[in-house]
Structures are given as structure tokens and as C-alpha cells.
Amino acid sequence: MKHSLYYERIGYEWKTKALRTVFRLLLLCCMVSCSDNDSYYDRPSWLEKPIYDVLKEKGNFKMYLEAADRTLYSSVLKGSGNYTVFAPNDDAFKKYLTENGYTSVEAIPVDELTKIIGYSLVYNKFEAAHLGDALISKLWEEGTSIKKRTSYYGTLYKEAINGVEQWVANGYTDVSQVQNSNYYKYLPIYTSSYFNSNGLSADDYTIFYPGSTYTGLNVQGGRIVNSDIYAENGIIHEVDIVSYPLLNLDESLKKDENGTAFRNILETKVANSYLFIDWVEAPLTTEVYKKLYPDRNITEVYLKSYNSLPFNPNYEYYSGALGTSEQAGFTYFIPSNAAVETFTTELKERARVDDLSSLSKSVLGYFLNAHMVNEIVWPSNFKKSMNANGEFINGKGLSGVGFAESGVTKSTFASNGVKYNIDHVIKSKYFNTVYSEVLLNPDYKMAYYAYTKFFANSVVEELLKSPITGYLEENYTILLPSDELLKADGYTYNENDNTFANSSKLGSSMNADDRLKRLLQMCVFKRIKNDEVNTEIANFAGSPSLGYGGYGYAVNDYGDMIRFKDNKIQAVGNILDGDEVTATELKDFAYNNGRVFGIDKMLQFSPRTTKPTVAEGWEDQTIYAFLTKYVTDNPDGKLFKDYLDKLTLYNATDQTITGISKAGFYTVLVPTKAAIEQAVASGLLPALNDVLLTDENQSKAYIFVMTHFLSGVVIPDDGTPRIDPGNYETLSMPTSLKITVPEWDLVSTRLYVNVAKQTDGTLKFTPRNYEVGTTVAVEGVNNGTVVRDVKKSNVMGPRAVIHAIDHALLFKINPKQ
């Protein structure tokens, strides 16, 4: 009764009959007539003999047949069906006996022989030419098969669940897995067809089987020495090795003393509940196995599966999207115990927990996923291989180290994939980028919740970019507001419904979520760092060489500007409040894509501190109010604003400038008084008092004002090479403006300004040639360069900046053609 399940499965799991045998039997029926001679029912002499008889006649498979005779598989070799047999010859069996300390085949336990013989039988007939191919929907997919399903499968085993030994089966559905293919073991077959199709070399074989020779027709660590021996019920390939069933990845890890620390994380429990393993009591399956194995005292069977991982390492079949179980498999990278212990010690310190079970399931999952790949990673393809987190295994992709230098200490082929033991923990974007501080540091829990809720597909994806994921030059500096700072601003977070609230007064157009999103985006700075360009914000010491009183400048992810000096930072609101934010770099960990700073106060876009109870303290200024204050502090720019006022482009009711959006971003260029007077003298701009005398004058004045507002961008004069030459739109001309000059056709069009860096790093603005339709050519005649002075340029405002420039940006208007 012990082997009844094997026998039962073998009896009904045939795939197809051998077509040649069926044809000959049909032919026989047609050729012979009714006869009283009993020889009519004899087996035709020309019919190929069963596998068992063919092997017996060969004479060098005595030990294999002796082994088969001690199992129920003997009847399979003698009976009907359609199998491929990888039959070890007597020399192979003798070697097996010696290596395992047996004196004879009779000395080998029956259970062990059952595994050997069952594992040598593959369903369906595969000639040597097709061992590297997969038969899919009756068509051969050439060079896609790396393993074949055998007739051997594992069933029940014992495993500790919460410290108690229980009977376990792999699966998640009661009873059904007893009938499915979850248990069938796969035999790897290394063929030139598969290797050539996948760009592999002999090294991809010998790395797994040191001391063996790759022939292009290998079975495990041995060779097919005689192929395509035909039989009535299949085909035989003589091999020089006894193949013992491979462990699957789960079984291999359990036996791996160097993988204990990794397995402990995989088996993490919280309150006696496993995070990544599901144990399901299976009463129906229990009854099945009770009947199959009455001598095992089975009282309860549990089904084992894994959750929240890219694959189930205990499943024999492939569940991914790359192909069938014959064509694909999984990969485990198992770091050494010492490497895991070093990593987890640091992880606990960063997260300030005493035990890994105190970490979130997602954090532990990121670690596990970093070491799992839902396909077979071959040494030849190592450089371009990525893990389940979408990270390069070697940390840099094609520019990183190859397999030989990767720290792999052992390579093992499993029945459902491959396992590599490595001497290090694989780097992950979740533990090595600047975002890891948001993820792990308990001081920033509210920021983490907000990032997850609002920015999972935007800012978070940016902050996770690094060489690990193929981004070699992205660099980020982030300022992290602590929970205490956000609470001081009035924020609370409800974990039950994932909502934020702010108890303080908010402006009429501001809600708690919008304010929080802006506050966090103001703390993120995206930069570039490579061998040629480096715009990293390494610190907030300032930039004395710029000529702005020692200040440095930067634009954040939201689009606001900040200025900084002596590690003191100010956004617009901080300047209006007369306040400064102190930044202190967190240096406990070396991030691979930037720097992280803690702050003692919030960066503010409005005077939140000095005006906490009125809307003005919570909302942006208007651009007009910003410009008005600018010319008050800087009288040299007043003439430019006088032109704007003369054209009545300011609407006092809603406090907007025509063409300016309350939510827009702007760079405002204010020519000096001398520059405007020079433009008037050149005849390209009417004098202020003459603006309204004619439509032509009015149009020239409007184009002049419009050209000095760059729309949709805040461009600082920060001295970095960050700004590449580019063309930026100016304000558009409104349709309400009456222009009657017949040879001009500029209504509802935009002009453009080219922005570039000069050799000294200053910004230069040039009107761009632009063709309106096909009739009017607009030609720029002047360049404007930023006037560096802390009171005149880099003056920060509401999603805007003002620069004084030394020449007005003007156009010659050519007549319609």
C-alpha cells in the first residue's frame, strides 16, 4: 500500500500513445483474415519491444533493471505508454553505489530506488534532437526547454508549524493538489539547442557541475552517451550518471546551513502568525492521505504556500509569465548568514527596533524580493538580470561586475530553478537610496504615510532611482520634516482611514492635503551628477562666487525657489517671516543617489508664522503684489511696472495680471531703467507717455511686457550647468486686446525666449525668431543678461523669481508678406 499512489498516478497519467505503434496495430488488423490458428493473436515479431526488454537485450543495464524490479515502475517499463527513459548504464550504477556507500543494488532502500527510477522516466517521447525543445499545442518551440517533467513526485513531508511537527503538502487548495502537477519533479537537460537560443556557453553548465564536461547533451552532471534507442512504449537515452531527484528551492534552502539567517526572515512570525507563509488545514486532503498511507498515523495535513512574494519556492511548476515549467524556473540568491546578520543589525538600528518582527511586512518583503527572480538567471546573463524589485542583481547592470566577480560562492540547480549562495546582501533601492530614510526612520512616519498616499507613482519613483535601477546620473537632496514639525503645523494622521487633517486655520483656497503635498515637495531637489556635470547640492553652505551676498539658490520639486547660506535655508514664506530653517545632514548611512538632511523648522511658501490667522498667512502672494514689492525695494525696475500699469493689464478685482494664472510658475525679467530708455531711443519701444497714442504703440508695448514673463518655469541664476539652452514660452496675447494694424497678425500667439548659460555661469535671455502662421516673421534684436545683485535678481516670489536684466528683450515686427 505504501506505493499505491505512485502506481495509481502512473496508470492514468499517459500523455499519448506512440503513433508508430498505433499505426502498425491498425495495419495488422487489415492484413490478417479470420483464422482458427491461435498464432493470429501472437505479438508481431516486427513490433519494437517494450523498454524493459530492449534494456535487457542491451546487456549493460542489469543494475538499472534490478532496481526497477524492486519498485512498481517495473510494470511501466514493461507496459504500454509513451515515455522517455534516461537509463543509467551499469558503470553509472557502480559509481553511484561507491559514492553512497552501498555494496549492491539490493542494499539500496526501496524508497530511494523508487525516486531514482521514477526520476529517470519522463512523460512523452523526446528524441535527442528535441530534448531542448518544448512541445506546446502540438508544435515544437525550439531551444526553449531546460527541463522535463518526470514521473516522480514528492507528496507528504514533516515540517514544524509553530514548533509542532506536522504533515505538510505543497499547495493552497484542499484536495485538488493531490490530482494536479504541483508535485512532479523536473529533470534538467542541458542541450546545445537551448544554450544557443539563450546565448549561453559551456561555463553556464560547468559552474553548476564543476569537473563535468559540457557536451551539448547533458543530464544533470552526466552525459547522454547513446541516444534514440526506440522501444514500443517510448524511447531510451543511455546516460553515464544515476540522477537523483533534485530538491526544489524551498527544500534546498531548508538544508542549507549557510542560508539559515535568510530563511529566518522568510519564516518571520508576528504573534504566532507567519508573515509570508500560509498554512491551511486541509480536512479533505487529510482523508485522502489517510487512505493512501494508513501506516503513517496521519491526523492532520496542512497545505503550505507563500504569499506576497514573486513566486512559491516550494512549488514544482512554474507560475510566471515566461513560459511553461519546462521552459522557465525561479532563482534564489541566498546571502551568507554573516552578511544577513550584518545587514539586519544595521536595519534594526536605522529603524530603531529590537526585533525584525517589529518591521513592517513590506520592508521585510523588499529584502526578500531583492534576492528573488521570477526566471532563471544564468551566469552569462548575470549583468542584465534584475530581481523582483526591478533592481540589477550586480547593482549597476551592464556597467557593473560580471558573474565571476559577483561574490557567488556556490551554484546549485534545483528542480524548479537555480540557487546561488552569495557572500553579500543584494543592494536594494528601498535600503540604499535617499527614500530609505523616509521608509525606515520612525521620526518621519507622517512623511512616509504622505509619500505613500500622494506620491507613490511620482516623487517616490523619482527618489528610488539610482544605479541599482539603471539610473546612473540622477541625484537628489531631500529635507525631511519630522512628525513633531508636522504636528506643530497642525497635522494629524488617522491610520484607520489613511487621512490627514490640519487643525489650524487654512486659507480659503487651501486644504490640508494640498498644503501637505506642497510642503513635502518643497523639500525635494532633483539634480544631476555624472563625470561631466555635477549639480548636486552637497550642502547648504551657500555660493559666495555667485555675487548674491553668499547665497546659493535652488528650485525644489514643486517649483518653488529657496536660498541658503551657512546651512540656513529660506523659502518665500520664511523670508517674509524673517525666519530661517537650519539643515543638518544625516550621515549615518551612505545613500547611493544623494543626501538627506533633517530640518528644525518647516520651509514655508507663505508667512505662516507671522500671519497664522488670516488667509495671507496660508496662501501665495499674487504675482502683481510680488512685482509691486520688488519695484518698491528696487526703484530701478519701476519703469517696467509702469508700462504694465499703463496698459491696464492688472485686474484689481481678482488681483491678477492678464495672462497670469494663480497656479502658474513664472520667471519675470525686469529690464533696468537704462535698458528701457535705450530701447525707447532705438525706436523699438514707445515712450511711456506715448503707449496709448496709437494701436501700433500699444501693440509694441504689450509685446515688450509680454516677452519678459516666461511662463511655466522658474529659472534661478544658480551658477550651475543645470539649465541647458532651451526655448521658453512667454505670456500669450489675449484676444480682448484690440490691435488694428493690418500688417500685423500676432493676436493669440506666443513669443519665445531662449535661455542659456554664459561662460561665467550667468543667464542670458534671447528673443527667439518665431514665425506666426506663414505670414509674419518676428526677429529678436537684443539679449538680456542677469544683473547679479541680491536685491535685483534671484528675488523669490510666489512660484516665481524676478531677475533684473541689462537689456530689454525686443522684436522687430516685419510687415505681412
Side-chain angles (χ1 to χ4, degrees):
M1 191 64 184
K2 188 173 186 179
H3 301 295
S4 60
L5 181 58
Y6 293 114
Y7 185 83
E8 182 181 343
R9 292 300 293 267
I10 291 168
Y12 65 73
E13 281 292 333
W14 303 332
K15 287 292 184 181
T16 60
K17 295 286 187 180
L19 295 178
R20 178 160 44 190
T21 302
V22 172
F23 172 76
R24 288 175 177 174
L25 288 174
L26 290 174
L27 182 63
L28 177 64
C29 293
C30 296
M31 292 180 62
V32 298
S33 59
C34 296
S35 172
D36 294 332
N37 190 341
D38 289 341
S39 63
Y40 169 77
Y41 298 100
D42 291 344
R43 185 177 183 279
S45 59
W46 47 262
L47 199 64
E48 290 163 347
K49 295 179 180 181
I51 293 171
Y52 189 97
D53 293 340
V54 172
L55 291 175
K56 187 174 182 180
E57 288 184 356
K58 289 290 182 182
N60 61 334
F61 296 96
K62 293 183 179 67
M63 302 179 82
Y64 176 75
L65 293 178
E66 181 184 353
D69 286 339
R70 295 185 62 204
T71 73
L72 295 175
Y73 285 108
S74 176
S75 60
V76 176
L77 299 178
K78 296 174 181 177
S80 60
N82 197 25
Y83 296 92
T84 299
V85 180
F86 294 91
N89 55 35
D90 288 338
D91 288 339
F93 248 99
K94 291 175 184 177
K95 182 179 179 183
Y96 182 83
L97 294 176
T98 301
E99 290 175 346
N100 291 276
Y102 296 121
T103 57
S104 65
V105 172
E106 187 177 357
I108 303 175
V110 173
D111 282 352
E112 187 172 339
L113 292 176
T114 298
K115 294 178 181 179
I116 291 171
I117 303 302
Y119 200 56
S120 71
L121 300 177
V122 167
Y123 287 107
N124 294 322
K125 184 171 70 176
F126 295 95
E127 295 175 332
H130 284 304
L131 286 174
D133 306 334
L135 188 61
I136 308 296
S137 300
K138 299 181 180 180
L139 296 175
W140 289 109
E141 291 188 3
E142 296 182 0
T144 63
S145 175
I146 184 58
K147 47 194 170 82
K148 299 297 184 188
R149 195 183 82 167
T150 71
S151 63
Y152 175 74
Y153 53 93
T155 53
L156 290 178
Y157 57 95
K158 282 288 190 75
E159 190 162 274
I161 305 175
N162 288 324
V164 179
E165 286 288 318
Q166 303 283 4
W167 286 107
V168 176
N170 295 325
Y172 53 85
T173 305
D174 200 4
V175 169
S176 68
Q177 81 283 348
V178 179
Q179 284 84 32
N180 70 22
S181 61
N182 188 34
Y183 298 136
Y184 282 98
K185 290 285 187 178
Y186 286 79
L187 175 68
I189 303 168
Y190 308 93
T191 65
S192 56
S193 173
Y194 179 87
F195 272 43
N196 293 339
S197 295
N198 291 275
L200 307 182
S201 70
D203 288 342
D204 291 284
Y205 173 78
T206 56
I207 281 171
F208 290 101
Y209 302 99
S212 297
T213 301
Y214 173 69
T215 65
L217 209 57
N218 295 87
V219 178
Q220 289 205 36
R223 302 170 298 152
I224 295 177
V225 295
N226 190 10
S227 62
D228 297 342
I229 304 170
Y230 294 95
E232 177 186 356
N233 54 345
I235 193 168
I236 303 164
H237 301 299
E238 179 184 351
V239 295
D240 63 358
I241 187 173
V242 173
S243 293
Y244 196 79
L246 293 175
L247 302 175
N248 61 39
L249 292 172
D250 199 46
E251 294 166 334
S252 180
L253 181 59
K254 283 189 289 187
K255 292 181 177 294
D256 190 347
E257 293 182 358
N258 292 319
T260 303
F262 182 87
R263 184 160 60 87
N264 287 341
I265 296 178
L266 193 65
E267 297 176 354
T268 300
K269 291 192 298 183
V270 176
N272 288 327
S273 178
Y274 291 84
L275 290 183
F276 300 101
I277 305 176
D278 293 325
W279 303 97
V280 179
E281 292 185 15
L284 298 178
T285 301
T286 300
E287 292 305 313
V288 171
Y289 281 118
K290 279 182 177 180
K291 294 175 181 178
L292 291 173
Y293 305 114
D295 57 336
R296 295 191 182 183
N297 298 319
I298 297 171
T299 59
E300 186 64 59
V301 174
Y302 288 82
L303 300 181
K304 179 184 180 181
S305 62
Y306 289 83
N307 66 74
S308 306
L309 296 176
F311 58 82
N312 277 278
N314 60 323
Y315 285 9
E316 298 293 341
Y317 67 88
Y318 180 75
S319 56
L322 294 174
T324 69
S325 297
E326 284 190 16
Q327 297 171 295
F330 314 115
T331 301
Y332 249 161
F333 286 90
I334 307 300
S336 67
N337 293 332
V340 173
E341 289 165 5
T342 299
F343 172 81
T344 53
T345 297
E346 182 180 75
L347 183 63
K348 288 186 289 186
E349 290 176 353
R350 295 180 67 188
R352 298 179 203 163
V353 297
D354 296 325
D355 189 80
L356 290 180
S357 62
S358 299
L359 295 171
S360 69
K361 181 177 181 178
S362 60
V363 168
L364 295 177
Y366 295 145
F367 169 81
L368 294 172
N369 285 352
H371 298 84
M372 302 176 74
V373 185
N374 202 9
E375 60 181 308
I376 294 176
V377 174
W378 293 97
S380 288
N381 298 329
F382 178 76
K383 280 191 174 185
K384 61 182 181 182
S385 295
M386 304 183 84
N387 60 27
N389 288 333
E391 302 151 346
F392 284 109
I393 300 297
N394 68 355
K396 283 190 177 181
L398 295 179
S399 62
V401 299
F403 183 85
E405 302 81 32
S406 65
V408 173
T409 58
K410 185 178 180 181
S411 304
T412 307
F413 221 95
S415 60
N416 59 348
V418 298
K419 178 168 73 74
Y420 295 108
N421 289 86
I422 55 177
D423 62 7
H424 63 282
V425 165
I426 292 175
K427 292 183 179 180
S428 171
K429 58 188 177 184
Y430 296 105
F431 305 117
N432 293 85
T433 64
V434 294
Y435 181 72
S436 66
E437 199 67 33
V438 181
L439 176 67
L440 299 174
N441 195 322
D443 289 342
Y444 309 115
K445 281 187 175 180
M446 290 182 70
Y448 167 73
Y449 293 136
Y451 271 111
T452 303
K453 179 176 182 177
F454 302 126
F455 304 127
N457 297 317
S458 54
V459 179
V460 172
E461 286 190 355
E462 280 286 337
L463 299 182
L464 290 173
K465 291 179 179 178
S466 75
I468 292 174
T469 52
Y471 296 91
L472 303 180
E473 64 179 22
E474 278 69 14
N475 183 270
Y476 306 91
T477 295
I478 60 173
L479 311 174
L480 285 182
S482 66
D483 290 355
E484 294 305 314
L485 287 181
L486 290 173
K487 290 175 182 177
D489 195 78
Y491 276 99
T492 56
Y493 175 70
N494 187 327
E495 290 191 43
N496 294 325
D497 58 7
N498 190 27
T499 58
F500 291 91
N502 194 307
S503 59
S504 301
K505 177 181 174 61
L506 296 176
S508 58
S509 63
M510 182 69 63
N511 63 50
D513 284 357
D514 289 340
R515 174 173 173 78
L516 182 56
K517 286 188 280 187
R518 183 166 183 182
L519 290 176
L520 291 177
Q521 284 184 279
M522 289 175 65
C523 293
V524 176
F525 301 87
K526 302 175 184 178
R527 316 295 276 191
I528 294 173
K529 185 177 182 181
N530 57 42
D531 293 338
E532 298 178 356
V533 177
N534 183 1
T535 64
E536 177 187 28
I537 302 177
N539 56 61
F540 292 95
S543 301
S545 62
L546 284 181
Y548 292 101
Y551 281 107
Y553 298 87
V555 174
N556 56 43
D557 183 65
Y558 185 82
D560 287 307
M561 267 183 67
I562 64 163
R563 69 180 186 182
F564 50 88
K565 181 171 63 173
D566 300 329
N567 293 317
K568 306 290 185 181
I569 308 172
Q570 292 179 308
V572 174
N574 303 111
I575 294 174
L576 295 174
D577 280 334
D579 203 1
E580 294 178 323
V581 176
T582 300
T584 304
E585 186 173 7
L586 306 182
K587 296 183 179 180
D588 295 335
F589 186 79
Y591 312 97
N592 66 357
N593 66 341
R595 299 173 184 268
V596 180
F597 292 79
I599 51 178
D600 65 340
K601 297 176 184 177
M602 296 296 299
L603 287 179
Q604 300 287 356
F605 56 86
S606 60
R608 164 79 171 82
T609 302
T610 56
K611 299 181 179 180
T613 61
V614 296
E616 185 181 352
W618 295 87
E619 295 183 335
D620 288 300
Q621 293 176 295
T622 66
I623 296 293
Y624 187 81
F626 171 44
L627 185 58
T628 299
K629 184 178 186 308
Y630 173 80
V631 299
T632 299
D633 297 338
N634 176 32
D636 194 39
K638 182 177 180 302
L639 185 55
F640 175 77
K641 181 176 176 295
D642 289 341
Y643 274 85
L644 185 150
D645 291 337
K646 176 70 75 171
L647 292 167
T648 62
L649 296 177
Y650 172 65
N651 186 325
T653 303
D654 60 6
Q655 298 184 333
T656 60
I657 298 173
T658 301
I660 294 283
S661 166
K662 286 186 176 181
F665 297 85
Y666 300 94
T667 298
V668 185
L669 307 176
V670 178
T672 63
K673 180 180 179 182
I676 295 176
E677 289 173 344
Q678 180 183 6
V680 172
S682 69
L684 295 174
L685 180 67
L688 180 64
N689 292 333
D690 297 336
V691 165
L692 301 180
L693 292 182
T694 66
D695 289 339
E696 180 178 344
N697 283 355
Q698 184 178 352
S699 296
K700 285 183 177 180
Y702 183 81
I703 293 171
F704 163 71
V705 172
M706 173 182 69
T707 302
H708 290 78
F709 284 85
L710 307 189
S711 180
V713 63
V714 176
I715 303 175
D717 179 27
D718 57 8
T720 72
R722 186 181 182 191
I723 299 295
D724 294 324
N727 298 305
Y728 296 88
E729 292 183 341
T730 67
L731 296 184
S732 60
M733 185 174 291
T735 56
S736 59
L737 189 63
K738 301 297 182 183
I739 297 181
T740 58
V741 181
E743 65 268 23
W744 291 359
D745 188 17
L746 292 174
V747 177
S748 298
T749 66
R750 288 183 185 270
L751 303 177
Y752 288 75
V753 170
N754 179 273
V755 182
K757 294 280 187 178
Q758 298 195 107
T759 54
D760 64 354
T762 56
L763 295 176
K764 182 176 70 173
F765 301 89
T766 306
R768 177 194 170 194
N769 289 344
Y770 184 76
E771 186 173 327
V772 182
T774 57
T775 56
V776 178
V778 184
E779 183 182 358
V781 296
N782 269 315
N783 298 322
T785 301
V786 166
V787 177
R788 284 185 165 173
D789 185 297
V790 70
K791 292 184 178 181
K792 293 184 177 182
S793 296
N794 274 337
V795 179
M796 295 150 43
R799 303 173 314 281
V801 63
I802 294 178
H803 296 303
I805 54 176
D806 60 3
H807 286 89
L809 307 184
L810 301 168
F811 290 95
K812 286 182 179 178
I813 310 301
N814 297 327
K816 186 180 294 186
Q817 314 229 335

